[in-house]
Amino acid sequence: MLILSNVWYCTFQREILKGINMEFLPGTKYVILGTNGAGKSTVGYVIMGLEGYKPSEGRIFLDGRDITDLSVTERAKLGITLMWQEPARFDGINVETYLTLGGRLNVSKSEVCDALEFVGLDPALYLKRLVDKTLSGGERKRVELASLLLLKPRYAILDEPDSGIDLMSLDMINNVINYIAQYGGTPIVITHREEMAYNTDYGYLICAGLILKTGRTEEVISAFRGTCEVCKHPNLPVNGELK
């Protein structure tokens, strides 16, 4: 189990996360839902342990082990992966090299081709394409989704996975999310869109760094509709409630 216990994150004397408590069980599909600027991506960065995103207070536990002070690399070795909202470009590296981690990932070429086909990319056209500016944002997002299929992480954080991808590809993204859960992994979908939230089991509604609602996804979406989409409150939530 992955646990965030009373996690605060502050930067430049601003409180971005304010006492976040979350639990993520294996094989369950989660959503972190909220409007832009609510602190959703920051939760993902804190879980992944990106540089500059160490909690100001609180701890992060994986299977009872405190991983708060572990590096990104150490967390990756424990099975935590972050798929960026804006995928990185790697000049001089082709898709096949990227997906196999330069040959270090123990997968066959057939498995690489299957992963590309799963996300709607023709291996004959993409294996040797460079992961650079010649790929569109949507193509790079698909390549990154293919990497999740091959890595099989224990915890896959997907930050706005539909960003840069047309609406017709929503089923493909959901298939990737389902695949992760089926092998016992835990997909954590970060999004501001209801459409991406529907294919999850349990959710957290976040606003201004506070969790306003936890529960089954349909309950969280209902709270999102009733609170965030019609929000008329110019002030931040106080003690977890809108004032």
Side-chain angles (χ1 to χ4, degrees), residues 97-235:
T97 301
Y98 174 77
L99 291 178
T100 62
L101 303 180
R104 295 191 300 276
L105 189 62
N106 186 27
V107 294
S108 67
K109 187 167 185 176
S110 175
E111 289 174 301
V112 174
C113 291
D114 288 345
L116 286 173
E117 290 176 348
F118 195 100
V119 299
L121 297 179
D122 184 347
L125 299 177
Y126 283 91
L127 274 176
K128 301 306 178 184
R129 288 281 302 274
L130 296 179
V131 188
D132 60 12
K133 63 183 179 181
T134 64
L135 290 179
S136 70
E139 288 172 323
R140 284 185 286 121
K141 184 63 70 76
R142 288 172 183 265
V143 169
E144 197 160 358
L145 285 166
S147 74
L148 289 181
L149 299 176
L150 295 169
L151 284 170
K152 293 185 174 63
R154 293 183 60 198
Y155 294 88
I157 307 163
L158 297 90
D159 190 7
E160 302 285 358
D162 58 327
S163 175
I165 294 182
D166 60 83
L167 289 176
M168 297 297 291
S169 302
L170 189 58
D171 285 345
M172 178 271 294
I173 298 172
N174 284 332
N175 287 339
V176 172
I177 292 170
N178 291 339
Y179 176 80
I180 294 168
Q182 285 166 4
Y183 69 67
T186 304
I188 304 170
V189 180
I190 297 172
T191 186
H192 66 280
R193 295 182 55 200
E194 291 180 29
E195 296 92 333
M196 281 307 309
Y198 279 117
N199 185 39
T200 59
D201 306 310
Y202 195 89
Y204 297 93
L205 174 60
I206 188 170
C207 177
L210 288 166
I211 296 176
L212 298 187
K213 177 71 176 178
T214 65
R216 302 294 298 178
T217 296
E218 57 269 23
E219 299 170 346
V220 170
I221 291 176
S222 178
F224 178 69
R225 286 177 181 169
T227 303
C228 300
E229 292 190 353
V230 295
C231 181
K232 298 179 181 178
H233 302 274
N235 302 314

Side-chain angles (χ1 to χ4, degrees), residues 1-4 21-25 30 155 186 202 204:
M1 180 188 297
L2 177 65
I3 297 175
L4 278 68
N21 291 287
M22 294 180 171
E23 294 184 357
F24 303 99
L25 294 168
Y30 291 87
Y155 294 88
T186 304
Y202 195 89
Y204 297 93

Side-chain angles (χ1 to χ4, degrees), residues 210 237-241 243:
L210 288 166
V238 177
N239 296 326
E241 296 182 359
K243 303 294 184 181

